[in-house]
Amino acid sequence: MSTTPSPTPSRVVPIIVAVANQKGGVAKTTSVASIGAALVELGQSVLLVDLDPQACLTFSLGIDPEDLELSMHHVLTKGLHASEVIIETDDGVDLLPATIELARAEADLLTRTGREHVLRGALDDLAEDPDGRRYDWVLLDCPPSLGVMTVAALTAAQGVLIPLQCETLSHRGVGQLLDTVHDVRRFTNRDLEVWGVLPTLYDGRTNHARTVLETISDTYDLDVIEPPIPKTIKFAEAPAAGRSILATSRSSKGARAYREVAANLLQRSPTRAGS
């Protein structure tokens, strides 16, 4: 008697978003951790990827990089499967952590053919693993530069989100980032979309902050992701506890803002497909 084989479950294709700005101090890592935790609250499965050798995202989620034997360095340069490196965190997000070794990975990748695609390949392998966890979202925390890691992240992503402090000098590098996005579209990822600017460290009481926000939207013709993330001391307190602000100060205005941003991103995200 013949039996009908069970259908193979369709593969969940995650939404991959690079969070990038070559200027430091714009709350990029805070945004990755907070949006990730907020998406988990909305029932999404989320993987965060720390691509910064400073490993601030890893540390802020309660993991000491110096205690790690395996990290993204081994995934990108040694061919280790990403599933061997993933760490579960108290915030409900999974993490591919970084260590200072990632700085050496940049140099190693410079001489490698196809270096722009190494992260995309690792994430594809993870998504295709029949025994692996299925993620709805993958958020890439890029280093504050336009080097190999950031280009690899943009090559792997479907969208790029640009955190931006609402001060005059902070938006001067946006044009350079957009030039890099243009090059990536041309050579390695024609489907990459700029999702928009996320205003951070925003003080709505000042005319200056509001003016800078209007200038960015007009100058670069970019969407502004709402609401702006307010400036609050609560953000500085969260990393010391190894959690995001959604856990350390759930009802704060900063936590509420990131929840709204996550809900807006979920609403505007493209439909995930199975293949």
Side-chain angles (χ1 to χ4, degrees):
M1 178 176 168
S2 63
T3 58
T4 303
S6 300
T8 302
S10 62
R11 179 169 66 96
V12 174
V13 179
I15 299 165
I16 304 176
V17 180
V19 182
N21 189 330
Q22 73 271 31
K23 186 180 185 305
V26 296
K28 179 171 51 62
T29 295
T30 296
S31 296
V32 171
S34 302
I35 292 172
L39 286 169
V40 168
E41 287 187 355
L42 292 170
Q44 303 291 291
S45 58
V46 180
L47 175 66
L48 307 184
V49 183
D50 193 347
L51 295 172
D52 188 347
Q54 297 178 78
C56 292
L57 177 62
T58 300
F59 182 81
S60 70
L61 292 175
I63 299 153
D64 188 341
E66 294 187 6
D67 293 338
L68 297 175
E69 293 185 6
L70 299 175
S71 70
M72 280 302 295
H73 166 73
H74 300 84
V75 174
L76 297 177
T77 67
K78 308 296 184 184
L80 188 67
H81 197 279
S83 61
E84 301 291 324
V85 181
I86 289 174
I87 298 173
E88 296 180 356
T89 74
D90 291 338
D91 269 1
V93 299
D94 283 359
L95 173 69
L96 280 169
T99 65
I100 191 63
E101 285 184 300
L102 205 53
R104 194 167 75 244
E106 286 244 10
D108 292 345
L109 290 172
L110 276 174
T111 58
R112 181 180 297 186
T113 302
R115 58 186 176 271
E116 298 89 353
H117 298 276
V118 65
L119 178 59
R120 172 182 274 183
L123 294 177
D124 283 348
D125 289 346
L126 187 63
E128 292 166 1
D129 183 357
D131 300 318
R133 182 176 178 184
R134 298 293 182 258
Y135 293 105
D136 300 306
W137 293 77
V138 177
L139 304 183
L140 310 175
D141 186 19
C142 299
S145 72
L146 295 177
V148 173
M149 288 298 168
T150 296
V151 171
L154 295 175
T155 300
Q158 291 140 2
V160 55
L161 187 63
I162 307 172
L164 193 70
Q165 185 177 359
C166 292
E167 294 183 354
T168 301
L169 293 179
S170 70
H171 69 78
R172 294 185 63 190
V174 173
Q176 291 174 309
L177 175 58
L178 294 178
D179 286 343
T180 301
V181 167
H182 174 77
D183 288 343
V184 166
R185 279 180 180 151
R186 184 179 176 189
F187 296 112
T188 63
N189 182 7
R190 67 177 61 186
D191 297 323
L192 180 64
E193 296 180 356
V194 179
W195 280 22
V197 168
L198 175 63
T200 61
L201 302 168
Y202 182 72
D203 187 351
R205 298 170 300 177
T206 67
N207 290 330
H208 178 67
R210 292 194 298 271
T211 300
V212 169
L213 194 55
E214 292 168 2
T215 299
I216 285 294
S217 180
D218 294 341
T219 301
Y220 299 106
D221 192 27
L222 296 175
D223 289 341
V224 175
I225 307 298
E226 299 284 355
I229 307 302
K231 183 183 294 186
T232 168
I233 189 62
K234 299 295 184 182
F235 286 122
E237 297 170 352
R243 302 292 298 275
S244 74
I245 193 174
L246 275 73
T248 60
S249 187
R250 290 190 55 83
S251 60
S252 67
K253 59 184 180 179
R256 291 197 304 270
Y258 273 119
R259 285 191 184 95
E260 287 187 55
V261 166
N264 289 337
L265 292 179
L266 188 59
Q267 188 174 31
R268 66 157 288 166
S269 62
T271 304
R272 290 180 300 279
S275 61

